[in-house]
Amino acid sequence: VFQGCNWPPIMAGLFKGFTPADISGQNQPKSSQQRGIRSSIVEAYPRIEEALDTIWPKKAPVIVAKCTDHRTLLVIDGEVLFFQIWDNPWAPTLKLLHKYPSMLPKFQADRGAVKFVLNGANVMCPGLTHPDAALEDVEAGRVVALHAAGKEHAMAVGFTVMSTAEIKEKNKGIGVDNWHFLGDGLFKLGPLS
C-alpha cells in the first residue's frame, strides 16, 4: 500500500478536459532524479520490471512536464508514458497499459458502469460486485486497471479507495477513483517534444 498518499477523495476525470495548454512547464530531470523515478515505478509495479528497459531505454530523453491541478507527466522519448497526481505513485497511461496489460491489478466492472466510467465518473462498489465483475485482491490506495466485462484492454486507470475485501463487504460508495479513461485529454494527447 502506498503510505501517505495525498489524494483528495472523488477525483474523477482528472484529464477529462486536458489539453497541451494545461502543461505549464517542462524540464529534463538529472540522472539521479531519473533513477529515483525509475526505482519508484519498479517498486510500485514489480510486474513491469523485466520490460522496463524496453519501455524506458537507458539513453532515452526524459522530460518531466508539470501541469495544472497538481498533475505531472513523465515523457520518455517524446511519449507520455506515466502520470502523477499530487505526490501519489506514478501511474501508467492507458496507451502504455494496452501494450503491457499485466502491469496493474485488474478490476472488471459490469456493463452498466462502462458508459459512466468512459465519461469520467468514479466506479461505485455495486459496479464492481455485480456477477459480471471481477476483482484482483488489492489493498486500498493501489493503482488498478479498470476493464469492461468481456473486453481485453483497460478502459481506465484508477486508484482504489477501499480494499477488495471492503468493496465486497460494504458494496456501497466509491470503490475506485477514475483518474484516466479512454478518450480523455491525456489519451488524446499526441507526442510531446
Side-chain angles (χ1 to χ4, degrees), residues 93-141:
T93 62
L94 279 168
K95 291 178 183 178
L96 178 61
L97 186 58
H98 290 170
K99 292 178 187 173
Y100 300 93
S102 66
M103 75 181 290
L104 290 179
K106 181 178 176 180
F107 274 36
Q108 180 177 295
D110 76 316
R111 295 182 193 279
V114 173
K115 68 180 177 183
F116 298 105
V117 172
L118 294 179
N119 208 19
N122 288 324
V123 186
M124 307 304 283
C125 291
L128 296 169
T129 56
H130 188 276
D132 290 342
L135 307 173
E136 280 189 41
D137 192 27
V138 298
E139 296 298 317

Side-chain angles (χ1 to χ4, degrees), residues 23-142:
I23 299 172
S24 56
Q26 299 182 25
N27 66 21
Q28 187 170 5
K30 296 178 184 176
S31 59
S32 61
Q33 291 170 313
Q34 289 183 35
R35 282 192 304 274
I37 293 169
R38 194 178 173 98
S39 68
S40 70
I41 289 170
V42 169
E43 183 182 326
Y45 313 110
R47 299 176 186 184
I48 200 170
E49 186 170 12
E50 291 178 14
L52 195 57
D53 285 336
T54 305
I55 295 167
W56 185 344
K58 297 270 188 211
K59 299 290 182 185
V62 177
I63 295 172
V64 173
K66 296 285 186 182
C67 307
T68 57
D69 298 327
H70 306 283
R71 299 172 290 187
T72 305
L73 307 177
L74 183 62
V75 183
I76 301 169
D77 235 356
E79 291 293 324
V80 179
L81 297 182
F82 293 91
F83 65 93
Q84 186 178 41
I85 311 300
W86 292 82
D87 293 329
N88 288 304
W90 288 96
T93 62
L94 279 168
K95 291 178 183 178
L96 178 61
L97 186 58
H98 290 170
K99 292 178 187 173
Y100 300 93
S102 66
M103 75 181 290
L104 290 179
K106 181 178 176 180
F107 274 36
Q108 180 177 295
D110 76 316
R111 295 182 193 279
V114 173
K115 68 180 177 183
F116 298 105
V117 172
L118 294 179
N119 208 19
N122 288 324
V123 186
M124 307 304 283
C125 291
L128 296 169
T129 56
H130 188 276
D132 290 342
L135 307 173
E136 280 189 41
D137 192 27
V138 298
E139 296 298 317
R142 301 298 290 194

